[in-house]
């Protein structure tokens, strides 16, 4: 029996409309968010999608799908199709957002979303390889909550240095473990398995390549932040010193007397 493409197009369109309407409600109807920027509301939906996608794809992959490292390339299950349809709708919404804000999002993100839509649509079109695409959804979205948390804290100007550093470390480690280490092994098993179509193998390779581009950007940003914090810490130590140099003269603080600070100039 052939696939009912009209029904699938309806599902995909409904999914895209769901995310777009949700964004519209956040921007114009929800009192707590309608005063926020468009990017703020977009990232709320990104966080919602990431948490729901990670949870559902993990449950599906662990309990309701073949093992991705040994049995990839088979027919897509109903649960896998449901997750992929929801993900497709979200990426349509976010792709449009990226096109409207290309200067802030960058062309690599546009390429990433285009590739994601192409591979998600291919699974729906042929009804195969839902297992590995579902696993890719899990592996690529598991780092997203940490990324969004970092942005929201920065945008809200929340000062929790220790929590921010822990979140940063967890984000970098999670990205490296899932996208690079496990991603490398997954790509090896995908190409070693004769069952998946070459199209999906090439798509997996391109997504893996994009992950390396993101990884390099993350390492560069993290290195810059570490240097920045180190310089600020060093500057604070110098500013907190009991002596400082001004106009060629050395000044030293002495003990308080009767509640007043006295400064003694030493030639």
């Amino acid at each position: 029996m052939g696939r009912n493409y009209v029904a699938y197009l309806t599902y995909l369109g409904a999914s895209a409309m769901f995310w777009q309407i949700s964004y519209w409600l956040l921007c114009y109807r929800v009192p707590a968010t309608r005063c926020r920027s468009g990017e703020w509301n977009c990232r709320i939906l990104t966080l919602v999608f990431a948490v729901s996608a990670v949870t559902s794809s993990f449950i599906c992959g662990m309990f309701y799908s073949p093992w991705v490292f040994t049995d990839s390339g088979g027919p897509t299950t109903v649960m896998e199709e449901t997750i992929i349809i929801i993900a497709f709708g979200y990426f349509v919404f976010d792709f449009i957002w990226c096109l409207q804000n290309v200067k802030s999002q960058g062309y690599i993100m546009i390429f990433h979303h285009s590739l994601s839509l192409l591979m998600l649509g291919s699974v729906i079109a042929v009804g195969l390889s839902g297992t590995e695409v579902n696993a890719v959804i899990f592996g690529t979205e598991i780092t997203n909550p940490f990324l969004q948390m970092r942005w929201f804290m920065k945008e809200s100007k929340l000062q929790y240095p220790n929590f921010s550093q822990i979140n940063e470390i967890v984000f970098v480690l999670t990205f490296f473990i899932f996208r690079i280490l496990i991603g490398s092994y997954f790509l090896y098993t995908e190409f070693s398995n004769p069952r998946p179509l070459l199209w999906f193998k090439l798509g997996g390779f391109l997504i893996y390549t994009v992950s390396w581009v993101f990884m390099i950007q993350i390492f560069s940003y993290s290195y810059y932040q570490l240097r920045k914090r180190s310089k600020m810490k060093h500057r604070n130590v110098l500013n907190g010193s009991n002596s400082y140099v001004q106009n060629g003269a050395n000044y030293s603080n002495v003990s308080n007397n009767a509640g007043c600070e006295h400064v003694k100039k030493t030639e």
Side-chain angles (χ1 to χ4, degrees), residues 205-223:
F205 174 76
L206 289 176
I207 292 177
Y208 176 75
T209 303
V210 171
S211 295
W212 266 109
V213 174
F214 286 150
M215 188 79 261
I216 293 172
Q217 292 177 343
I218 291 169
F219 277 146
S220 300
Y221 176 81
S222 299
Y223 177 72

Side-chain angles (χ1 to χ4, degrees), residues 185-209:
Y185 179 68
F186 167 74
L187 193 66
Y188 167 76
T189 59
E190 182 76 0
F191 274 86
S192 300
N193 191 335
R195 187 159 61 164
L197 300 176
L198 179 61
W199 174 253
F200 290 107
K201 294 181 179 182
L202 293 177
F205 174 76
L206 289 176
I207 292 177
Y208 176 75
T209 303

